[in-house]
Amino acid sequence: MTYRRLYGIPDDWGTAVNVVAMVFGNMGETSGTGVAFTRDPASGVPKFFGECLLNAQGEDVVAGIRTPLPIEALAKPLPKAYQALVTTYKKLERHYRDMLDLEFTIQEGQLYMLQTRVGKRTGIAAVRIAVDMVNEGLIDKREAVMRVAPEQLSQYLYPIFDPQEEAKHQPVGKGLPAGPGAASGKIALTPDRAVEMKARGERVVLVRHETSPDDIHGMNASEGFLTAKGGVTSHAAVVARQMGKVCVAGCESLEVRHDGTVRFGTQTLKEGDPLSLNGFTGAVYSANIPVVESEVVQVIQGRVTPAQSEKYRYFSTFLKWADKFRTLEVRANADVPDQATIARGFGAAGIGLCRTEHMFFAENRVPIMQRMILAKNPEDRERELARLLPLQKSDFIGLYRAMKGFPVTIRLLDPPLHEFLPKREDLMVEIAQLHRKEDEGLREEKKKLLGRIEELHEFNPMLGLRGCRLGITMPEITRMQVQAIMEAACEVNREGIKVVPEIMVPLVGLAAEMKAEKDLIHEVADETMRRYQTKFRYLIGTMIELPRAAITADKIAREAEFFSFGTNDLTQTTFGFSRDDAAKFISFYMNRRDRCARCLRADVDQKTMTCRACGFHHAEPPHNILDFDPFATLDQEGVGALMRMAIERGRAARPDLKLGICGEHGGDPASVAFCHRLGIDYVSCSPYRVAIARLAAAQAALEDAKPKASRGGKARTVARSSSRPARARVRR
Amino acid sequence: MTYRRLYGIPDDWGTAVNVVAMVFGNMGETSGTGVAFTRDPASGVPKFFGECLLNAQGEDVVAGIRTPLPIEALAKPLPKAYQALVTTYKKLERHYRDMLDLEFTIQEGQLYMLQTRVGKRTGIAAVRIAVDMVNEGLIDKREAVMRVAPEQLSQYLYPIFDPQEEAKHQPVGKGLPAGPGAASGKIALTPDRAVEMKARGERVVLVRHETSPDDIHGMNASEGFLTAKGGVTSHAAVVARQMGKVCVAGCESLEVRHDGTVRFGTQTLKEGDPLSLNGFTGAVYSANIPVVESEVVQVIQGRVTPAQSEKYRYFSTFLKWADKFRTLEVRANADVPDQATIARGFGAAGIGLCRTEHMFFAENRVPIMQRMILAKNPEDRERELARLLPLQKSDFIGLYRAMKGFPVTIRLLDPPLHEFLPKREDLMVEIAQLHRKEDEGLREEKKKLLGRIEELHEFNPMLGLRGCRLGITMPEITRMQVQAIMEAACEVNREGIKVVPEIMVPLVGLAAEMKAEKDLIHEVADETMRRYQTKFRYLIGTMIELPRAAITADKIAREAEFFSFGTNDLTQTTFGFSRDDAAKFISFYMNRRDRCARCLRADVDQKTMTCRACGFHHAEPPHNILDFDPFATLDQEGVGALMRMAIERGRAARPDLKLGICGEHGGDPASVAFCHRLGIDYVSCSPYRVAIARLAAAQAALEDAKPKASRGGKARTVARSSSRPARARVRR
């Protein structure tokens, strides 16, 4: 009935019934049953792989009462049936040109095939099978590229838990999977403590209520981070992905207490206790689960040669094929030379976003930065900026060298300045604690500092004095940064390395802002090149990260040579969702469907649509508010509409406008596909997602080339015998 | 030369020279000079009004060496000339059909007219002259309505300083004119202190770094507020305009110190010292300047009858004429019955925005609200909500009664909940100070409270858990509010008063949010009406205050019966400007033109375009980034484009969609005109701006009806004799 409704089959067609004889695997020692894969679904190695039981039906395998034998165990007792099975699997694989799973029963020595489907596989197996099948002449490269889901590539890139070890433990908490991989170590509750523990040779997991830029040194020293607050684009998450570290964010059951302990529900852990984070699932374990390192990353870091790693060779061959199809360029977000080197290793064709502020958070730089911010007049500020200049310049030199002629997009200072200062509330508490007479001097000093911090304090720093507003109200900052960018470029250029600096102005909402910054940049850049007696091309562009920038893109494009969509911020303002605060209600929005609309308990009788807890009857089933996290996957309807508007208006005003995206979405396959359809020139993502973006871009291009009608899902059921009794079905 | 370029007159036309004999007013006692207005420019009273000097030239009047005489003083010594002057002024006024200023010289008894122009006048005079001239048959009502600039009406509405008294003082500081009027009183630095001083019968001016919702009781007790931070839509400013109080916000030179003093640059004042605020100019005086009360407000408050106030009668007649031309409805933003009564008095045809949260800030309600927020489960929360229900209901009853059948738009709870709680940093300091052994119990209690507040803490509360996100994640809040709204409506309906509740869901960005809230509202509303055995129409709509709402307005309109543009928030997210934090850089943006582009000093030689301070040469003159404060005047290019999009898409999905605007822009004349052109149904503004909006709406409609070619400025120079020597020109 459901079927007929579903497929729109008219009632008067009558009903066909297929009658097939049942087969039995439990008719003695010449009978049996089993399930197999035509290749190893974990590694992709081309080897028949499966399990069987003699004198058994499928349900016996499922029930787990008897331990199944490897598939080869059939060869001896039932050689004819086994040979028939081998012949059949090879024939089926050749026919369907893919790795298959098979279910079979042998009744008194006679093989019966029950079902075959395309087999599920790991990412690593998917790549190997695709490459092998091209080499075997079964499929072409185009098809190979389409056969691996981009996200599956992440299995190559990150350390993972030994699956059998992980299965032994129950999670103590669950958060958002915000930085992929697996990390295991001892709990540190402060960044200083993390550094200290790391120095003692310990592996550390940093646990924080939330992280902030002054935690960077501790994050660097840790294997992974766990936070109670924040979503997939929170500070902890963004830094984790860029550093290639593991992160579980917004773990609601976690409470970080002031007494040096943390709580998960009723369980209390203390600093130094073991903790493991699964960055793919968000699971948190109070145990030390063994981690397996990524071979691919070891090759890229130069610790293993490609010749030593078969996995790397498959990975690299596969991506080279993908690159032939894609039209979208892939760049990486990288702030320091080390990250740039990794990014090149993953195939990034340039840096799409270098966040210059990250350079200032280093321990030896923060004090200079603080003095610069607290300066009372432009002269004092300029003196401190002069101290920062050589430091920034040397970072840029490193970036240009690592990118070897590929473009390097450098964003001018963006965050609100108080991010660099001690926290206001911490200082207030310190002052309150300095109540003794002998503390008076120190108290007065701290009060003065607090006064200046109060002046800079903002209620909503995301919407405050940041981005280009900094450079416009304090042009000496822009001047110093442009000088560092251009002096570095001139010097690397002298070394004979081609340099393509792209200077990016953040948070522009008004064409007049862009013009003001552009004029200043041109002045300093041209003056610097004159000083070095050289001349090369550099670009000046802007981030499109405010709705107003998208709406007035035509005017802004008259002043900007490129646009880079900052989709994190654009999502924030389009939705009015703070990425640091919205995780909680976004997760509610994505799971509202499971709850009673009145009392929110997850106790609704799905048949009567009545809540068992409060008795509320639902006229229609509760709906989700959001089906995806807009900070992880681009909201095509809202944010995407603004992007389309910006592209149309921007290109109308400047036909050769270069377009990129450098938000976190640059590494999300669905968002990459959307960017391809929008006609953007490049996506830029964190170094560890470059491979994923390369594949997603290739698939988007191939999808685009396909005639509409042939598009469809990739998981196909190729054949299914409906004749076998339901209970005999073998499950995996 | 400039003239000829300006008007495009070709050089080969040659130059005409007008030669006119000069006249002298200093040829003895039968000569003289003077300036006059055809009516009193301050009050509008139709009486010849001016000054003269015998045996003098214009420069003698300007130089101020001799004290001029009233114009009537000419009648005796020079009766013939005076008679000629009177005849001429009457003839001129009849000819130009407006109040004029005149300059004249009498040479040996002979009158010479030098110049006449339309005369400058106060708002009060403008209205009276317009009304009188209609009654005299000189102009029609249409022209009368066009002759008064809407902003001029505010002179009727607010207390003002005696102009001569104000001129005697030098301001100690200057901020943004954020709440019009003039206030004078003693400085209070905390809301409690303000209440205390008011109780002693003192007039109080509240001085704060910034204000927050828990200052409300102190704001209520004060004549006006002065803040160091915040712009024209900061909390202090919005509350001031709604309460009809004076506010100067964002006074940069003000420093509110922790020792009970305030500083303006080098001058230090303490609590209790006199302070005066000019809310029209932003000037702050350290003196007690006498204030003159508004007659119109006294009539509206019922303290004076219309018969007793000629001013009120002119005001009211003029606005009645304006109302005939306008098509835009004008409503008021009012949160409590008192405000609603004032709003009706000013002619508001309904309430466009009742912010229900303001009802919770009352002293007896905040503790219940706090317990509600801190509740650990829905049951505890519901118990506290049940206590709030009768309080909200009685407020709504008052609103409905005051509005006598006009629609009342009630917005569900909007602000982030921690606005109702003690400040996190204050609590942290308190805990730090409780270091003695005997404080342990209290310390633990405060720590617990802090823990819950930390959970609710947000980095960017504007973009956090607020608006409909509250009602969706805590549906019991929406249920209580809708029950209060509808029970009140049912009860007032029973009294025979028509009730039109319009329930407004704030901060919708997703159609699914609107649907979730709509379903819940319908359920509670219908259940309530059933319980009261009554039925009447109510509307459910939403604010459009997020870019995503504007972009997806078609989908949202399927769930909403009306849209009300919340242009404060829409401006915030479209620009990425926090209205609490952006004042500083907005003011820089609006004044950048005056500064050197490199060192920002206001010391650029306008001829050479070189900075005298740093020597920087400007290739082109520095430009402003913004020409207006987008929180005061609607940004038509950016925010306006989103509004237009929302209207088009919304009406396409629901042709009878009702459209309003309830942001602060609803009271800004330029924004009202823009709303008229957009085809919005109504604007809603603070009660004290209703009259201004009514006039602005009438003028927008009249402008619309005019043929394009005849549009032009309202300040015209009607005649000018170019023959008189420059030095003889009389200045006012």
Side-chain angles (χ1 to χ4, degrees):
Chain A
M1 183 63 179
T2 315
Y3 251 72
R4 293 172 60 163
R5 282 233 178 109
L6 209 63
Y7 295 103
I9 300 170
D11 276 347
D12 59 3
W13 280 16
T15 302
V17 177
N18 228 343
V19 182
V20 178
M22 172 144 171
V23 290
F24 296 90
N26 52 359
M27 292 183 73
E29 289 304 312
T30 56
S31 298
T33 194
V35 56
F37 292 87
T38 60
R39 305 189 183 208
D40 184 336
S43 65
V45 171
K47 165 180 173 282
F48 195 39
F49 183 91
E51 292 178 327
C52 63
L53 274 178
L54 289 176
N55 193 13
Q57 279 291 67
E59 66 226 52
D60 301 320
V61 181
V62 178
I65 306 166
R66 290 166 58 190
T67 308
L69 306 166
I71 195 81
E72 301 85 4
L74 285 179
K76 249 196 194 152
L78 299 165
K80 252 181 75 183
Y82 182 70
Q83 198 45 54
L85 185 61
V86 169
T87 311
T88 307
Y89 101 70
K90 287 188 174 163
K91 194 170 168 186
L92 283 168
E93 205 189 69
R94 265 199 315 280
H95 180 75
Y96 289 118
R97 302 174 306 113
D98 205 344
M99 187 273 264
L100 305 171
D101 70 22
L102 317 165
E103 294 176 22
F104 64 88
T105 284
I106 299 165
Q107 182 177 318
E108 297 175 323
Q110 173 68 42
L111 174 73
Y112 294 90
M113 299 303 294
L114 302 183
Q115 175 179 284
T116 187
R117 296 180 301 193
V118 169
K120 292 243 159 61
R121 63 203 80 178
T122 66
I124 288 167
V127 170
R128 172 156 188 168
I129 291 167
V131 171
D132 283 347
M133 285 195 170
V134 169
N135 292 336
E136 291 162 23
L138 284 174
I139 58 173
D140 63 9
K141 289 177 182 169
R142 187 178 297 259
E143 188 157 4
V145 166
M146 291 305 289
R147 280 215 180 152
V148 180
E151 209 55 70
Q152 285 188 298
L153 292 184
S154 58
Q155 290 172 17
Y156 271 106
L157 308 177
Y158 301 102
I160 53 171
F161 287 132
D162 183 320
Q164 290 181 323
E165 288 290 328
E166 186 175 7
K168 290 179 190 163
H169 299 274
Q170 272 297 320
V172 289
K174 200 160 175 345
L176 300 167
S184 207
K186 291 184 178 174
I187 296 175
L189 294 178
T190 64
D192 292 344
R193 187 95 178 114
V195 170
E196 200 185 302
M197 285 162 72
K198 161 96 173 179
R200 284 205 303 266
E202 287 170 345
R203 297 172 72 87
V204 184
V205 174
L206 183 65
V207 180
R208 300 285 277 167
H209 187 67
E210 75 270 333
T211 65
S212 77
D214 20 79
D215 294 350
I216 291 283
H217 59 299
M219 298 171 89
N220 235 324
S222 308
E223 306 300 314
F225 331 131
L226 171 66
T227 65
K229 289 208 70 166
V232 294
T233 56
S234 65
H235 178 262
V238 171
V239 171
R241 286 192 294 269
Q242 189 142 342
M243 286 186 174
K245 306 232 173 194
V246 179
C247 180
V248 173
C251 175
E252 278 192 43
S253 67
L254 167 66
E255 191 191 342
V256 182
R257 294 146 68 92
H258 293 281
D259 60 357
T261 66
V262 293
R263 239 197 222 178
F264 295 93
T266 55
Q267 188 167 351
T268 305
L269 299 178
K270 60 178 193 309
E271 212 160 49
D273 283 349
L275 200 74
S276 294
L277 308 177
N278 187 330
F280 293 110
T281 64
V284 182
Y285 303 92
S286 66
N288 207 332
I289 304 176
V291 165
V292 191
E293 262 255 62
S294 152
E295 262 179 47
V296 167
V297 172
Q298 291 183 54
V299 173
I300 282 167
Q301 290 175 338
R303 291 186 283 142
V304 170
T305 65
Q308 288 172 305
S309 170
E310 191 183 47
K311 262 192 195 161
Y312 177 81
R313 292 196 307 274
Y314 271 106
F315 175 79
S316 156
T317 303
F318 179 76
L319 280 168
K320 264 183 216 135
W321 294 351
D323 286 348
K324 284 198 189 134
F325 300 113
R326 76 179 153 91
T327 54
L328 201 58
E329 198 178 283
V330 178
R331 298 188 184 182
N333 301 348
D335 305 333
V336 289
D338 280 0
Q339 289 172 359
T341 307
I342 298 281
R344 273 300 302 138
F346 278 119
I351 292 177
L353 174 62
C354 162
R355 302 173 180 92
T356 52
E357 58 268 23
H358 282 196
M359 300 175 174
F360 295 128
F361 284 116
E363 241 170 309
N364 57 334
R365 298 177 182 188
V366 153
I368 314 177
M369 193 66 189
Q370 293 188 341
R371 284 199 302 272
M372 190 279 281
I373 295 165
L374 298 172
K376 292 240 161 143
N377 53 55
E379 289 71 29
D380 288 356
R381 196 154 44 232
E382 273 170 8
R383 196 179 49 241
E384 301 303 331
L385 285 167
R387 292 200 178 115
L388 290 170
L389 175 70
L391 304 173
Q392 280 232 307
K393 186 171 147 184
S394 79
D395 286 333
F396 295 140
I397 288 176
L399 287 178
Y400 293 138
R401 283 187 186 145
M403 292 322 285
K404 299 188 175 71
F406 284 107
V408 176
T409 313
I410 298 171
R411 179 176 75 182
L412 300 179
L413 193 67
D414 181 53
L417 295 183
H418 54 62
E419 281 198 7
F420 298 93
L421 299 176
K423 275 190 195 158
R424 181 171 151 264
E425 55 269 38
D426 292 349
L427 203 56
M428 288 167 80
V429 168
E430 267 184 67
I431 292 168
Q433 282 165 340
L434 291 170
H435 47 81
R436 290 173 314 169
K437 181 119 190 84
E438 58 265 41
D439 297 330
E440 201 175 313
L442 186 58
R443 189 168 64 233
E444 282 314 302
E445 196 182 300
K446 297 247 174 198
K447 269 195 182 172
K448 246 173 82 179
L449 177 60
L450 178 61
R452 185 76 181 107
I453 291 177
E454 293 276 8
E455 278 177 48
L456 289 168
H457 175 67
E458 293 180 320
F459 298 102
N460 298 284
M462 267 307 171
L463 307 176
L465 183 59
R466 51 170 291 233
C468 68
R469 301 161 198 172
L470 290 171
I472 292 171
T473 58
M474 286 171 275
E476 54 276 14
I477 298 180
T478 299
R479 300 180 69 84
M480 181 282 278
Q481 290 204 294
V482 175
Q483 199 181 330
I485 292 166
M486 295 306 289
E487 285 189 6
C490 289
E491 291 178 20
V492 174
N493 197 43
R494 268 191 194 159
E495 295 169 10
I497 299 169
K498 198 187 154 199
V499 193
V500 190
E502 300 185 350
I503 303 174
M504 186 153 75
V505 181
L507 213 71
V508 163
L510 295 145
E513 288 175 322
M514 187 61 211
K515 171 153 173 49
E517 284 287 81
K518 185 194 74 175
D519 289 350
L520 192 59
I521 294 167
H522 268 317
E523 185 217 322
V524 179
D526 295 345
E527 193 275 325
T528 308
M529 289 198 294
R530 263 198 304 279
R531 199 150 36 80
Y532 278 81
Q533 297 179 312
T534 178
K535 206 165 170 62
F536 47 84
R537 197 168 177 228
Y538 64 96
L539 298 182
I540 304 176
T542 183
M543 307 268 290
I544 299 290
E545 46 186 344
L546 291 171
R548 199 178 189 288
I551 297 164
T552 60
D554 47 342
K555 293 198 175 162
I556 293 172
R558 274 177 223 132
E559 311 293 339
E561 291 165 292
F562 65 89
F563 282 177
S564 179
F565 289 98
T567 49
N568 295 353
D569 270 39
L570 192 57
T571 300
Q572 282 200 111
T573 41
T574 305
F575 276 85
F577 284 1
S578 157
R579 64 188 198 218
D580 295 316
D581 304 312
K584 236 180 196 167
F585 63 80
I586 287 178
S587 112
F588 179 91
Y589 273 15
M590 290 168 67
N591 296 298
R592 182 175 178 272
R593 178 169 44 203
D594 309 327
R595 295 161 184 265
C596 166
R598 178 194 273 164
C599 74
L600 301 186
R601 288 199 189 80
D603 204 11
V604 180
D605 185 312
Q606 291 300 316
K607 268 190 195 157
T608 61
M609 292 314 297
T610 303
C611 176
R612 290 190 197 94
C614 76
F616 181 68
H617 173 74
H618 296 76
E620 42 185 321
H623 59 274
N624 271 351
I625 307 286
L626 268 174
D627 290 321
F628 58 92
D629 179 344
F631 290 112
T633 295
L634 195 78
D635 162 46
Q636 300 185 9
E637 187 181 24
V639 178
L642 284 173
M643 289 172 71
R644 186 170 286 121
M645 191 186 295
I647 292 171
E648 279 166 12
R649 295 182 182 181
R651 283 214 170 122
R654 185 188 287 265
D656 65 342
L657 185 72
K658 201 164 166 181
L659 296 167
I661 169 176
C662 64
E664 283 295 312
H665 301 101
D668 169 64
S671 310
V672 170
F674 180 67
C675 289
H676 172 86
R677 293 196 298 275
L678 281 181
I680 282 177
D681 298 306
Y682 68 87
V683 297
S684 185
C685 56
S686 53
Y688 286 82
R689 294 196 74 83
V690 166
I692 293 162
R694 282 162 70 192
L695 177 54
Q699 292 185 348
L702 287 170
E703 281 288 344
D704 218 23
K706 258 201 228 174
K708 288 265 173 196
S710 78
R711 283 188 201 177
K714 261 164 283 173
R716 296 156 292 151
T717 293
V718 292
R720 167 172 277 239
S721 144
S722 58
S723 62
R724 118 204 103 100
R727 290 182 61 222
R729 198 169 153 202
V730 180
R731 289 196 214 137
R732 274 127 299 126
Chain B
M1 184 63 177
T2 317
Y3 250 73
R4 294 172 59 162
R5 283 231 179 109
L6 209 62
Y7 296 103
I9 300 171
D11 276 346
D12 59 4
W13 280 16
T15 302
V17 178
N18 227 341
V19 181
V20 178
M22 171 145 171
V23 290
F24 296 90
N26 53 0
M27 293 185 68
E29 289 305 310
T30 57
S31 300
T33 194
V35 58
F37 293 87
T38 60
R39 304 189 184 210
D40 184 336
S43 66
V45 171
K47 163 177 174 287
F48 195 40
F49 183 91
E51 293 179 327
C52 63
L53 276 176
L54 289 175
N55 194 13
Q57 280 289 69
E59 67 227 50
D60 300 321
V61 180
V62 179
I65 307 165
R66 291 167 58 188
T67 309
L69 305 167
I71 195 80
E72 303 83 3
L74 285 179
K76 250 194 192 156
L78 298 165
K80 253 182 74 183
Y82 183 70
Q83 198 46 52
L85 185 61
V86 168
T87 313
T88 308
Y89 100 73
K90 289 188 173 161
K91 193 170 168 185
L92 282 168
E93 205 189 67
R94 263 198 316 279
H95 180 76
Y96 290 117
R97 303 174 306 112
D98 205 344
M99 187 272 265
L100 305 172
D101 70 23
L102 317 165
E103 294 175 22
F104 63 88
T105 285
I106 299 166
Q107 183 178 318
E108 297 175 322
Q110 174 67 43
L111 174 71
Y112 294 88
M113 298 305 293
L114 302 184
Q115 175 181 285
T116 187
R117 296 180 301 192
V118 169
K120 292 242 160 59
R121 64 203 79 178
T122 65
I124 288 166
V127 170
R128 171 154 191 170
I129 292 167
V131 171
D132 283 348
M133 285 195 170
V134 170
N135 293 335
E136 292 162 22
L138 284 174
I139 57 175
D140 62 11
K141 288 177 183 167
R142 188 178 299 259
E143 187 157 4
V145 166
M146 291 305 288
R147 281 212 180 155
V148 180
E151 208 56 68
Q152 285 188 300
L153 292 184
S154 57
Q155 290 171 20
Y156 271 106
L157 308 176
Y158 301 101
I160 54 172
F161 286 132
D162 183 318
Q164 289 181 325
E165 289 290 327
E166 186 175 8
K168 290 179 189 161
H169 298 275
Q170 271 300 317
V172 289
K174 199 159 176 346
L176 300 167
S184 206
K186 290 184 178 174
I187 295 176
L189 295 178
T190 63
D192 292 342
R193 188 93 181 115
V195 171
E196 200 185 301
M197 287 162 70
K198 162 96 174 180
R200 284 204 303 266
E202 288 171 344
R203 298 173 71 89
V204 184
V205 173
L206 183 65
V207 180
R208 299 286 276 168
H209 186 67
E210 75 270 332
T211 64
S212 77
D214 20 79
D215 294 350
I216 291 281
H217 58 298
M219 297 171 90
N220 234 324
S222 307
E223 306 300 314
F225 332 131
L226 171 65
T227 65
K229 288 208 70 165
V232 294
T233 58
S234 65
H235 178 262
V238 171
V239 171
R241 287 192 294 268
Q242 189 142 340
M243 287 186 173
K245 305 233 174 192
V246 178
C247 180
V248 173
C251 175
E252 279 192 41
S253 67
L254 166 65
E255 189 190 345
V256 181
R257 293 147 70 92
H258 294 281
D259 61 357
T261 65
V262 294
R263 240 197 221 178
F264 295 92
T266 55
Q267 189 167 352
T268 305
L269 298 179
K270 60 178 191 308
E271 212 161 48
D273 283 350
L275 200 74
S276 295
L277 307 177
N278 187 331
F280 293 108
T281 64
V284 182
Y285 303 91
S286 65
N288 207 331
I289 304 176
V291 165
V292 191
E293 262 253 63
S294 152
E295 262 179 48
V296 167
V297 172
Q298 291 184 55
V299 173
I300 283 168
Q301 290 175 337
R303 291 187 283 144
V304 170
T305 64
Q308 287 171 307
S309 171
E310 189 183 49
K311 261 191 195 162
Y312 177 80
R313 292 195 308 273
Y314 272 106
F315 174 79
S316 156
T317 303
F318 179 76
L319 280 168
K320 264 183 218 134
W321 293 349
D323 286 347
K324 286 199 188 130
F325 300 112
R326 76 180 152 92
T327 54
L328 201 58
E329 198 178 283
V330 177
R331 299 189 183 181
N333 301 347
D335 305 334
V336 289
D338 279 2
Q339 289 172 0
T341 307
I342 297 280
R344 274 297 303 136
F346 278 119
I351 292 176
L353 173 63
C354 162
R355 303 174 182 91
T356 51
E357 58 268 21
H358 283 196
M359 300 176 174
F360 295 128
F361 284 116
E363 240 171 309
N364 57 334
R365 299 177 182 188
V366 153
I368 315 178
M369 193 67 188
Q370 292 187 342
R371 285 199 302 272
M372 190 278 281
I373 294 165
L374 297 173
K376 292 239 160 143
N377 53 54
E379 289 73 28
D380 288 357
R381 196 154 43 233
E382 272 169 9
R383 196 179 52 241
E384 301 302 332
L385 285 167
R387 291 199 180 118
L388 290 170
L389 174 71
L391 304 173
Q392 279 232 307
K393 186 171 148 184
S394 79
D395 286 333
F396 295 141
I397 288 176
L399 287 178
Y400 294 138
R401 283 187 186 145
M403 292 322 285
K404 300 189 175 71
F406 284 108
V408 176
T409 312
I410 299 171
R411 179 176 74 182
L412 300 179
L413 193 68
D414 181 52
L417 295 182
H418 53 62
E419 279 198 9
F420 297 94
L421 299 176
K423 275 191 194 156
R424 179 171 152 266
E425 54 270 36
D426 292 349
L427 204 55
M428 288 167 81
V429 168
E430 265 185 70
I431 291 169
Q433 281 165 340
L434 291 170
H435 47 80
R436 290 173 312 168
K437 182 118 191 89
E438 59 266 39
D439 297 329
E440 201 175 316
L442 186 59
R443 189 169 63 235
E444 282 314 302
E445 196 182 299
K446 298 246 174 199
K447 269 195 183 174
K448 246 173 83 180
L449 178 61
L450 178 61
R452 185 76 181 106
I453 291 177
E454 291 277 7
E455 279 177 46
L456 288 168
H457 174 69
E458 293 180 321
F459 298 101
N460 297 284
M462 267 310 170
L463 308 175
L465 183 59
R466 51 170 292 232
C468 68
R469 301 161 198 172
L470 290 171
I472 292 172
T473 57
M474 286 172 275
E476 54 276 14
I477 298 180
T478 299
R479 299 180 69 83
M480 181 282 279
Q481 290 204 293
V482 175
Q483 198 180 329
I485 292 166
M486 294 306 288
E487 285 189 4
C490 289
E491 291 178 20
V492 174
N493 196 41
R494 267 191 194 159
E495 295 170 8
I497 299 170
K498 197 187 155 201
V499 193
V500 190
E502 300 185 349
I503 303 174
M504 185 153 74
V505 181
L507 214 71
V508 164
L510 295 145
E513 288 176 322
M514 187 62 211
K515 171 154 174 49
E517 284 287 81
K518 184 195 74 177
D519 289 349
L520 192 59
I521 295 167
H522 267 316
E523 184 218 324
V524 179
D526 294 346
E527 192 276 325
T528 309
M529 288 198 294
R530 263 197 306 278
R531 199 148 38 79
Y532 279 82
Q533 297 180 312
T534 177
K535 206 164 168 63
F536 47 83
R537 196 167 178 229
Y538 63 96
L539 297 182
I540 305 177
T542 183
M543 308 268 289
I544 299 289
E545 46 187 344
L546 291 171
R548 200 180 187 287
I551 297 164
T552 60
D554 47 343
K555 295 200 173 163
I556 292 172
R558 275 177 221 132
E559 312 293 340
E561 290 166 294
F562 65 89
F563 283 177
S564 179
F565 289 98
T567 49
N568 295 353
D569 269 38
L570 192 57
T571 300
Q572 282 199 112
T573 42
T574 304
F575 276 85
F577 284 1
S578 156
R579 64 189 199 219
D580 295 315
D581 304 310
K584 237 179 193 167
F585 62 80
I586 288 178
S587 113
F588 179 90
Y589 273 15
M590 290 167 66
N591 296 298
R592 182 175 178 273
R593 180 169 40 203
D594 308 328
R595 293 160 185 265
C596 166
R598 176 193 274 165
C599 74
L600 301 185
R601 288 201 188 78
D603 203 10
V604 180
D605 185 310
Q606 291 300 318
K607 267 192 196 154
T608 61
M609 291 313 296
T610 303
C611 176
R612 290 189 197 95
C614 75
F616 181 68
H617 174 73
H618 296 75
E620 42 185 321
H623 59 275
N624 272 350
I625 307 286
L626 268 174
D627 290 320
F628 58 92
D629 180 344
F631 290 111
T633 295
L634 195 78
D635 162 46
Q636 301 185 9
E637 187 181 24
V639 178
L642 283 173
M643 290 172 71
R644 185 170 286 120
M645 191 186 295
I647 293 170
E648 280 165 13
R649 295 182 182 181
R651 284 215 169 123
R654 186 188 286 265
D656 65 342
L657 184 73
K658 201 164 166 181
L659 295 167
I661 169 176
C662 63
E664 283 296 312
H665 301 102
D668 169 65
S671 309
V672 170
F674 180 66
C675 289
H676 171 87
R677 293 196 298 274
L678 282 180
I680 282 177
D681 298 308
Y682 67 88
V683 298
S684 185
C685 56
S686 51
Y688 286 82
R689 293 196 74 83
V690 166
I692 293 162
R694 282 163 70 192
L695 177 54
Q699 292 186 348
L702 287 169
E703 280 288 343
D704 219 22
K706 258 201 227 175
K708 288 265 173 197
S710 78
R711 284 187 199 176
K714 261 163 288 178
R716 296 156 293 151
T717 293
V718 292
R720 167 173 276 242
S721 145
S722 58
S723 62
R724 115 205 106 101
R727 291 182 59 221
R729 197 170 154 201
V730 181
R731 289 194 215 136
R732 275 127 297 127

